[in-house]
Every structure is written in structure tokens, then in C-alpha cells.
Amino acid sequence: MSTAVETAPAPVTFTQGAVKELFKLKDQQELNDDFGLRVGVEGGGCSGMNYVLGFDQKKDGDQEFYIDGIKVYMHKAHGLYLAGMLIDFQDGLNARGFTFNNPNAASTCGCGTSFSV
């Protein structure tokens, strides 16, 4: 497994709110430096694909990025679906949680975590 960090532009970006919440979650889970934020996709959901967002260790085939001080792991094949995506965190009365603004999604479902291309 390679330990090189990608120097290419990161495929996703985070809002200030998302960065703040991600640091908070990492501290609460007391994760060591081997863990980074996994951003990706998986088959499923009502629109065909679901977003993956959670702390994990690096796996074979992963690219590693540093985005706003956060170590991010993404499988190389997922960049096609996620390039240009903005991840935000909402903490309001009507909604609470991470949201995904994906310019590659042809359609999304009402839950906001499932999409198709």
C-alpha cells in the first residue's frame, strides 16, 4: 500500500460548518492519526447510489488528500462520481446533518443521500 499523498486538486470541498463538525466528531471518537475521513459512493438507495462519509483507515486503491486540515481517503474510481462535490453540515431547526451538493448527480431522492448519474 502506497503512503504517498495526492498532490492533485482534491475532488471534494467542505464548508466551514462541515469542517467544524468533522473535527468535533473525530475528537469525540478519539481516533488516532491512522484514521481519515472516507468519502465515496456505494450501490443502493432509492436513486441507485448512496454517499459514504465516515472515518476509516486507508485501504488499497485509496487516494489520500488533505482538505482544510482533514485527511481524506477516497477510492480512485469514486472520483468520477464525486468530482466538484461540496459537503456541508446543517444544524438548523428543519434539518441536521451532512448535505451533499454534487454537480455530477442527474437526480437525487428526497433524503439527499441517494443519487443517480
Side-chain angles (χ1 to χ4, degrees):
M1 175 170 32
S2 173
T3 58
V5 176
E6 293 293 320
T7 56
V12 300
T13 56
F14 301 114
T15 64
Q16 294 276 26
V19 170
K20 182 179 174 182
E21 186 67 15
L22 289 167
F23 278 120
K24 180 179 161 185
L25 290 170
K26 187 172 182 193
D27 286 345
Q28 286 175 347
Q29 295 178 25
E30 299 178 0
L31 300 172
N32 65 36
D33 289 338
D34 290 341
F35 285 82
L37 181 69
R38 177 162 306 282
V39 179
V41 296
E42 64 184 6
C46 48
S47 290
M49 300 185 91
N50 283 325
Y51 295 110
V52 173
L53 186 70
F55 291 100
D56 195 5
Q57 292 182 310
K58 191 170 185 178
K59 298 177 184 173
D60 287 336
D62 281 347
Q63 294 177 297
E64 181 177 330
F65 302 93
Y66 281 89
I67 306 170
D68 296 324
I70 299 169
K71 186 187 321 183
V72 175
Y73 299 139
M74 179 186 293
H75 193 278
K76 290 179 183 182
H78 295 187
L80 172 71
Y81 302 107
L82 302 177
M85 184 170 72
L86 175 68
I87 300 173
D88 190 11
F89 183 78
Q90 300 292 318
D91 191 17
L93 295 174
N94 294 328
R96 182 169 178 12
F98 289 97
T99 61
F100 306 92
N101 183 351
N102 187 346
N104 305 300
S107 65
T108 59
C109 70
C111 69
T113 61
S114 179
F115 71 103
S116 66
V117 289

